[in-house]
Amino acid sequence: MTRPLQVVQAFDRAVITEIAVDDAAALEARLATASRTLLNRDAWLKPHQRSAVLLRTAELLQARQGHFARLIAQEGGKPLVDATVEVIRAVDGLRNAAEAIRTFAGREIPMGLTPASEGRWAFTTKEPIGVVAAISAFNHPLNLIVHQVAPAIAVGCPVIVKPAAVTPLSCLGLVELLHEAGLDEAWCQTFITDDNALAERLATDPRVAFLSFIGSAKVGWYLRSKLPPGTRCALEHGGAAPVIVDRSAPLDTIIEPIVKGGYYHAGQVCVSTQRIFVHADIADGFIERLAARVQALRVGDPLLERTEMGPLIAPREADRVLSWTEEAVAAGAKIVGGGRLSETTLAPAVLLDPPTEAKVSQLEIFGPVTCVYRYRDLDQAIDAANALPFAFQASVFSADIAPAMRAARRLDASAVLINDHTAFRTDWMPFAGRRQSGYGVGGIPYSMEDMSQDKMVVLRYEG
């Protein structure tokens, strides 16, 4: 008999519950069900049915906002205030998907442009790409699931979703709401496992037409290399998001968004602010203000409403972040703050001028640490920001339009935020990692395009 999966609170490791895990037989059953559902074209859900399910699910989720926020805080460690925002975003995401169905359509293809194309009328329609396998991450255990599942439902794809093994409860709760809202189980199934081999079998099964993967670059790119011919995918990884602070930037107003960008969810965000390049003329004042605000962050139990920063997801992650900061300090960086508060909770830290070759300057920290570097020349700062093999979102803070726009044009990023932090996102905007940071474009309407395919119909007529 397969052992149950123990789900614990990220903050104190207390057991929340134990849930049954799925085995190879369960995986085969889910794949067979999804494939059979797709092949029965006469039973495909109509647009109005898909829209109704998504809107009803949004209503149910909104009514249980407090329950889901607490669940996110418990299993994922996100502070309750931010967990509540995640639920609100998830509700909006479901509505976004339903609304997008209204304009999700093909187009007319011009005919009659040559004598050979006369007497024909051509247009495209949208069809589901096929079975979707959605493998998700722990850091937004509800909203990431919405971003993967809602587009699939909106376009009519059967979807099998595997949440992170450490945060499965939010996913299970959302799928239950979808079924309560009237969606037949065959259209959205969960697959619960902590077995990487089984997860790989899900992702690479030839019956899967599209893989949606959110997680580590190492795993994502490996899975992509194993996909059978014809299977498409979207990968969302992370980076070491850069911020450039121009000397014209008003220090009194920029600290708060930068701290939010760097320490939101203890830095466990794929576009978390990590590398901050500050003009030397204002560096001392910037560091003083940044250090004071970071050290004033209220760190602790995410279930307390006053908490601004909670734990890391697991003790091994706290160990890793500490080792990276210690390496940087040993190599000459100065540190403000830092240290361990519990098995999974770290005090937030600021590293000043860590060496370029240090891990904190080269790799995604995914923890409550930001790095500050001084610069004199804007283009040198931009070059340093662009120097890593991954790129996602970037920011520039400036009161002057010229340096802001120069940075916006030259930064290698899929999005450049001007006078805002790197972790800003709305759920309808395109969201994509460049180079090693990802593949494809996220965001609910963009995922709907990925999970669909065009079919052209050409009608020949006389007269």
Side-chain angles (χ1 to χ4, degrees), residues 97-402:
E99 290 164 3
I101 295 173
R102 290 184 173 274
T103 56
F104 192 68
R107 64 185 184 91
E108 183 177 355
I109 306 299
M111 289 287 138
L113 301 178
T114 63
S117 65
E118 289 182 3
R120 289 168 176 83
W121 178 39
F123 57 91
T124 62
T125 61
K126 293 286 189 182
E127 291 191 344
I129 191 173
V131 176
V132 171
I135 298 179
S136 206
F138 76 86
N139 52 334
H140 309 293
L142 177 65
N143 204 39
L144 291 182
I145 301 296
V146 167
H147 269 266
Q148 294 172 289
V149 168
I153 294 169
V155 302
C157 290
V159 57
I160 303 170
V161 56
K162 191 203 88 64
V166 289
T167 55
L169 303 181
S170 298
C171 173
L172 289 170
L174 177 69
V175 174
E176 286 177 5
L177 294 188
L178 286 163
H179 297 160
E180 184 179 338
L183 185 69
D184 188 88
E185 186 175 346
W187 288 101
C188 184
Q189 304 174 87
T190 58
F191 183 65
I192 306 298
T193 185
D194 57 358
D195 185 331
N196 291 335
L198 279 181
E200 180 177 338
R201 284 175 60 179
L202 167 63
T204 59
D205 189 279
R207 287 166 289 187
V208 169
F210 189 85
L211 168 65
S212 171
F213 178 87
I214 303 175
S216 78
K218 179 180 179 181
V219 175
W221 290 109
Y222 168 78
L223 289 176
R224 181 173 179 262
S225 74
K226 297 295 183 180
L227 295 180
T231 301
R232 289 171 18 193
C233 71
L235 310 177
E236 185 181 308
H237 305 317
V243 170
I244 293 177
V245 181
D246 179 57
R247 63 180 159 192
S248 68
L251 295 182
D252 290 340
T253 60
I254 69 173
I255 297 299
E256 200 62 34
I258 289 176
V259 170
K260 185 66 175 180
Y263 301 90
Y264 166 61
H265 199 10
Q268 298 170 117
V269 180
C270 61
V271 286
S272 181
T273 296
Q274 181 170 325
R275 297 176 296 144
I276 307 171
F277 301 90
V278 184
H279 196 282
D281 287 355
I282 62 168
D284 288 344
F286 174 86
I287 291 168
E288 180 182 352
R289 287 171 171 80
L290 177 67
R293 180 65 184 98
V294 169
Q295 290 183 298
L297 285 170
R298 297 187 295 271
V299 182
D301 187 346
L303 290 171
L304 300 178
E305 292 190 4
R306 66 181 297 275
T307 299
E308 295 176 282
M309 195 189 95
L312 296 177
I313 192 63
R316 67 177 180 278
E317 291 302 307
D319 295 340
R320 178 188 56 78
V321 173
L322 278 179
S323 71
W324 286 18
T325 58
E326 289 166 359
E327 175 203 69
V329 171
K334 295 182 179 178
I335 189 168
V336 178
R340 195 165 201 149
L341 302 178
S342 76
E343 193 176 10
T344 55
T345 309
L346 301 180
V350 180
L351 287 170
L352 308 179
D353 296 306
T356 302
E357 64 276 9
K359 289 186 179 71
V360 297
S361 298
Q362 292 288 322
L363 303 172
E364 182 180 27
I365 294 175
F366 224 61
V369 181
T370 58
C371 304
V372 179
Y373 313 83
R374 301 168 191 259
Y375 76 89
R376 280 286 177 192
D377 179 75
L378 177 61
D379 287 349
Q380 289 179 347
I382 293 170
D383 289 344
N386 291 342
L388 302 184
F390 32 75
F392 213 138
Q393 299 199 160
S395 291
V396 55
F397 286 84
S398 176
D400 293 340
I401 192 66

Side-chain angles (χ1 to χ4, degrees), residues 5-19 67-77 141 165-170 302-303 313:
L5 181 66
Q6 194 174 78
V7 185
V8 303
Q9 294 192 147
F11 178 64
D12 59 9
R13 317 303 291 165
V15 176
I16 304 171
T17 189
E18 289 186 344
I19 60 174
H67 166 74
F68 275 90
R70 186 174 179 84
L71 203 57
I72 292 166
Q74 286 180 304
E75 65 177 351
V166 289
T167 55
L169 303 181
S170 298
L303 290 171
I313 192 63

Side-chain angles (χ1 to χ4, degrees), residues 410-433:
R410 291 173 58 87
L411 282 166
D412 185 6
S414 59
V416 177
L417 292 301
I418 299 177
N419 293 327
D420 207 348
H421 60 75
T422 60
F424 172 80
R425 180 187 185 183
T426 66
D427 300 294
W428 58 88
M429 70 187 240
F431 191 70

